[in-house]
């Protein structure tokens, strides 16, 4: 997030023109560094890393440093076999960065030995990157298609082996980032269950898309779902360890680790409803009875209207127990002496990407985690429930519409 910093100061003879102050304050720290407003670190200047070792920015470690790291890796493999090598422990022992340990480990796995550093960092990386022609580009794209998790160092080795062209890892990275329309950077992949692609599930998927196209006014679509507010939804995945003592601070939680809250919610992109969502947070919301109670509240309050389309997954909460009467209830519920005729549509199996409320829950979880670190509240205590209520109540129609659009609903 970019922030603007306005200088504070009083009036005085040396006071600059306010328009100049505003222009300077609008520059980000990175932009100021690019324009020369802040000093840069000089190449070759010694710096100290987080593990107590020294390095020179812009210059690679020497061969003897790589051999020392390789020796420590071999020692760790021998002592802790069959467990994998702990990268952090090797980095602390060798007093180098974890990134450098990974590079040495990749060389050992690919070649059985470490290579001389000048091979990894040629002097003219920009010219080398331009030397990657169409044939070499096709070769690199084929390598990516074969193994998307391949490291930049492996691309460089294979490119030299096939064409005799020496490139650096930064050249490979810049090639994937800048050569094509989209940036080919490393991203976290989605986990897709294989049974999603069964014939029956695929048929239900295309049947659902047909209904979406026929019922084209997507502002009338209302999505239901539930979410459990437990532990990892409220606590950030990682926190920074103390660099002086190597101690990771503990987080105080409630004594009952089974304590959890369930969130039942319904969202709509129709601004005529007055609010984009209705929800309920409690410890007994994970049942069909609690779900049907919320549905009746929406019917009595008039939030569910004639012509609406209710969409949800096939979870037991939505289809079992008292929820078996859902379709009949919504179709025959009378308002003003006439039935509402609300249609119920179920999502295809293993298709959460078609439910925009999942994105709303993702936004909620991220904001809860930030609030958790800001206030020191426990993962499932009343403070988290209070903040989750605030987040859901302040969610705007614009945010919900963006979630709809991201899932493919246009109107």
């Amino acid at each position: 997030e970019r922030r603007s910093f306005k200088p504070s100061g009083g009036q005085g003879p040396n006071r600059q023109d306010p328009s100049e102050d505003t222009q300077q304050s609008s520059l980000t720290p990175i932009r100021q560094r690019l324009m020369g407003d802040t000093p840069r670190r000089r190449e070759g200047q010694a710096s100290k890393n987080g593990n107590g070792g020294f390095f020179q920015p812009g210059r690679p470690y020497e061969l003897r440093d790589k051999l020392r790291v390789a020796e420590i890796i071999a020692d760790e493999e021998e002592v802790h076999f069959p467990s994998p090598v702990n990268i952090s422990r090797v980095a602390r022992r060798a007093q180098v960065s974890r990134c450098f340990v990974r590079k040495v480990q990749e060389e050992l796995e690919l070649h059985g030995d470490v290579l001389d550093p000048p091979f990894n960092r040629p002097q003219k990386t920009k010219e080398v990157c331009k030397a990657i022609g169409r044939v070499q580009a096709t070769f690199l794209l084929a390598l990516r298609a074969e193994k998307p998790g391949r490291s930049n160092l492996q691309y460089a080795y294979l490119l030299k082996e096939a064409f005799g062209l020496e490139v650096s890892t930064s050249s490979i990275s810049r090639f994937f980032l800048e050569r094509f329309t989209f940036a080919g950077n490393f991203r976290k992949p989605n986990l897709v269950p294989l049974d999603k692609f069964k014939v029956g599930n695929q048929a239900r998927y295309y049947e659902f898309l047909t209904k979406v196209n026929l019922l084209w006014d997507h502002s009338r679509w209302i999505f239901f779902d539930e979410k459990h507010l437990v532990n990892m939804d409220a606590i950030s995945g990682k926190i920074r360890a103390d660099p002086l003592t190597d101690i990771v601070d503990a987080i105080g939680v409630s004594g009952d680790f089974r304590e959890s809250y369930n969130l039942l919610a319904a969202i709509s992109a129709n601004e005529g409803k007055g609010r984009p969502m209705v929800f309920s947070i409690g410890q007994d919301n994970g049942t069909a009875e609690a779900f049907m109670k919320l549905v009746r509240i929406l019917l009595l309050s008039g939030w569910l209207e004639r012509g609406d389309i209710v969409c949800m997954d096939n979870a037991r909460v939505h289809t079992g127990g008292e929820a078996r009467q859902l379709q009949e209830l919504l179709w025959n519920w009378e308002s003003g002496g006439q039935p509402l005729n609300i249609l119920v549509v179920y999502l295809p199996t293993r298709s959460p990407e078609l439910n925009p409320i999942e994105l709303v829950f993702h936004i909620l979880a991220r904001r809860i985690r930030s609030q958790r670190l800001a206030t020191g509240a426990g993962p499932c205590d009343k403070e988290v429930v209070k903040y989750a209520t605030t987040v859901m109540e302040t969610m705007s129609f614009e945010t919900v519409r963006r979630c709809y659009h991201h899932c493919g609903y246009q109107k």
Side-chain angles (χ1 to χ4, degrees):
E1 180 181 1
R2 296 186 177 181
R3 301 178 182 270
S4 298
F5 299 90
K6 295 184 178 180
S8 59
Q11 304 294 331
N14 296 327
R15 179 67 174 172
Q16 298 179 355
D17 182 65
S19 61
E20 296 181 0
D21 293 341
T22 304
Q23 182 178 3
Q24 292 292 332
S25 63
S26 62
L27 298 177
T28 63
I30 295 178
R31 180 63 65 183
Q32 292 177 4
R33 186 178 67 183
L34 293 176
M35 296 180 62
D37 294 337
T38 56
R40 294 186 180 183
R41 187 186 300 276
R42 292 177 297 178
E43 183 175 351
Q45 182 180 2
S47 301
K48 190 174 183 179
N49 60 35
N51 292 319
F54 292 90
F55 69 97
Q56 293 176 294
R59 296 184 181 180
Y61 283 103
E62 297 183 2
L63 182 60
R64 64 171 179 267
D65 298 319
K66 300 178 73 173
L67 292 173
R68 178 166 55 88
V69 173
E71 183 179 357
I72 296 176
I73 291 176
D75 180 61
E76 288 286 331
E77 288 181 343
E78 182 179 353
V79 173
H80 299 283
F81 182 83
S83 300
V85 175
N86 189 303
I87 301 296
S88 300
R89 185 163 55 239
V90 174
R92 287 194 295 268
R93 289 183 56 184
Q95 293 186 328
V96 297
S97 67
R98 296 173 58 186
C99 180
F100 181 67
V101 175
R102 290 194 186 97
K103 289 183 178 181
V104 175
Q105 190 178 33
E106 288 177 357
E107 292 182 8
L108 292 175
E109 293 176 353
L110 193 61
H111 296 277
D113 201 353
V114 294
L115 302 181
D116 197 13
F119 169 78
N120 297 331
R121 292 180 179 269
Q123 296 298 323
K124 299 181 179 180
T125 57
K126 292 186 178 180
E127 287 73 8
V128 170
C129 185
K130 292 180 180 180
I132 300 178
R134 292 186 177 181
V135 177
Q136 292 83 0
T138 304
F139 177 74
L140 293 176
L141 291 176
L143 292 177
R144 193 221 68 84
E146 178 189 17
K147 184 180 179 182
R150 194 187 306 271
S151 67
N152 292 334
L153 188 61
Q154 292 178 357
Y155 284 110
Y157 290 151
L158 295 174
L159 195 61
K160 181 184 179 183
E161 182 179 350
F163 299 96
L165 179 62
E166 293 187 2
V167 298
S168 66
T169 56
S170 60
S171 297
I172 296 294
S173 177
R174 190 162 55 251
F175 167 79
F176 282 108
L177 290 176
E178 303 174 0
R179 190 69 170 265
F180 305 98
T181 304
F182 302 101
N185 54 340
F186 285 96
R187 304 175 190 176
K188 186 176 180 180
N190 293 323
L191 303 180
V192 181
L194 294 178
D195 59 351
K196 177 184 178 71
F197 304 101
K198 290 183 177 180
V199 176
N201 293 337
Q202 285 290 290
R204 283 187 284 270
Y205 178 83
Y206 289 109
E207 179 185 354
F208 177 81
L209 294 184
T210 302
K211 295 178 181 178
V212 171
N213 293 328
L214 291 176
L215 304 172
W216 53 270
D217 188 2
H218 299 157
S219 64
R220 305 306 301 267
W221 285 62
I222 298 174
F223 293 88
F224 280 80
D225 205 357
E226 65 281 335
K227 178 177 177 58
H228 302 289
L229 300 177
V230 294
N231 295 332
M232 296 311 299
D233 289 328
I235 301 178
S236 179
K238 295 181 181 179
I239 60 175
R240 191 180 300 278
D242 188 345
L244 301 178
T245 62
D246 196 32
I247 295 177
V248 180
D249 296 333
I251 297 179
V253 300
S254 126
D256 187 1
F257 287 93
R258 297 172 299 178
E259 182 180 5
S260 65
Y261 288 84
N262 297 315
L263 168 65
L264 278 172
I267 63 172
S268 172
N270 185 3
E271 295 189 10
K273 294 185 178 296
R275 53 191 304 186
M277 67 183 65
V278 179
F279 63 94
S280 173
I281 301 178
Q283 293 182 313
D284 300 323
N285 280 349
T287 62
E289 290 75 15
F291 170 68
M292 292 299 294
K293 180 180 178 181
L294 176 63
V295 171
R296 290 190 177 92
I297 291 176
L298 298 182
L299 289 171
L300 292 172
S301 64
W303 196 80
L304 286 176
E305 301 172 331
R306 182 176 290 101
D308 285 344
I309 303 166
V310 171
C311 185
M312 65 198 77
D313 57 31
N314 291 283
R316 183 70 177 174
V317 177
H318 303 151
T319 59
E322 189 177 341
R324 295 173 182 172
Q325 307 172 3
L326 176 64
Q327 297 189 50
E328 181 180 357
L329 175 68
L330 293 178
W331 185 262
N332 297 324
W333 185 275
E334 292 187 358
S335 177
Q338 295 181 353
L340 294 181
N341 294 339
I342 297 176
L343 183 64
V344 178
V345 177
Y346 291 101
L347 291 165
T349 306
R350 304 289 192 181
S351 300
E353 71 277 6
L354 298 176
N355 195 345
I357 200 172
E358 298 289 351
L359 299 177
V360 173
F361 289 159
H362 177 71
I363 296 173
L364 172 66
R366 291 186 60 181
R367 294 184 182 179
I368 290 179
R369 283 194 290 268
S370 64
Q371 177 71 3
R372 167 63 187 88
L373 298 179
T375 64
C380 298
D381 59 15
K382 295 181 180 179
E383 286 296 323
V384 172
V385 175
K386 179 181 178 180
Y387 187 68
T389 302
T390 303
V391 171
M392 297 294 284
E393 288 180 346
T394 57
M395 198 83 68
S396 65
F397 274 105
E398 180 63 25
T399 300
V400 174
R401 277 196 299 269
R402 290 179 180 177
C403 294
Y404 270 59
H405 181 75
H406 185 83
C407 293
Y409 305 96
Q410 304 297 329
K411 299 180 180 180

